[in-house]
Amino acid sequence: TRTRTRTRVHARATSNISLTARKQGLGQRTRIQGYERTASAWPSPSSSPSSSSSSSSSSTSLAAIAHERDHERARAPTASSLDTDTAEDVGLLRVVDIRSIKQLIDELEQAGDALVIVAFHATWCAACRKVQPLVQKYVKDREDVVLLKVNYDRNKQICRSLSVKKLPYFHFYRGSQGKLEDFSASAKTFQRIRDAVALHGTPRCALGPNAVPKSLEKLRDDLATN
């Protein structure tokens, strides 16, 4: 009887061990299969070499093209260069971005016998953005013309002293004669600028120092004393 009881207990224990092992194995297989299912959602590095290589090559190519495009844009001048806040050499022999009253006076005095066009503009002015490139293109090959750009927002004192009340606006200066003409012009009335350059840009010899508007000189002196 004791032998039979021991046999039964041993068999039951063996059965329980087998059942536990089976459950553990099933759980392990389930975990492994679950991992495999999750992992299968991600492409293996070696599963599709041609696709991976093609994607990498395409990304590299697009990145290179974008970099080259940005580089070219940074180097190449645009048609609206006159609307920028910095002076650029874009084919025009003498283009100056005015940043102070003293600078404007110095440029007028040092222009010699050249015709000086002072272009008043603003980045928010749509008419300015249209007409300024036309002015640049028209005078770019003329050695006897100086173009001075005055940004309204940065030089409000200059604009007030010269009674600039609308944009775009243009002043024309020549040597000792001082200011010859001033008017507002847009892309539609660009012919006025052509006519002014043709009229005031003819060869001539001015006697005496270049004339500067008295209002600018007074403003410079007032600022210097304050």
Side-chain angles (χ1 to χ4, degrees), residues 166-170 182-186 189 192-193:
K166 63 169 63 176
L167 297 175
Y169 207 77
F170 300 89
D182 66 283
F183 53 79
S184 178
S186 63
T189 58
R192 291 194 66 185
I193 298 176

Side-chain angles (χ1 to χ4, degrees), residues 88-96 136 139-147:
E88 300 178 23
D89 180 9
V90 287
L92 195 60
L93 291 178
R94 284 183 286 182
V95 181
V96 181
Q136 175 180 308
V139 302
K140 68 178 182 179
D141 295 325
R142 299 188 61 126
E143 298 182 4
D144 57 341
V145 176
V146 176
L147 181 59

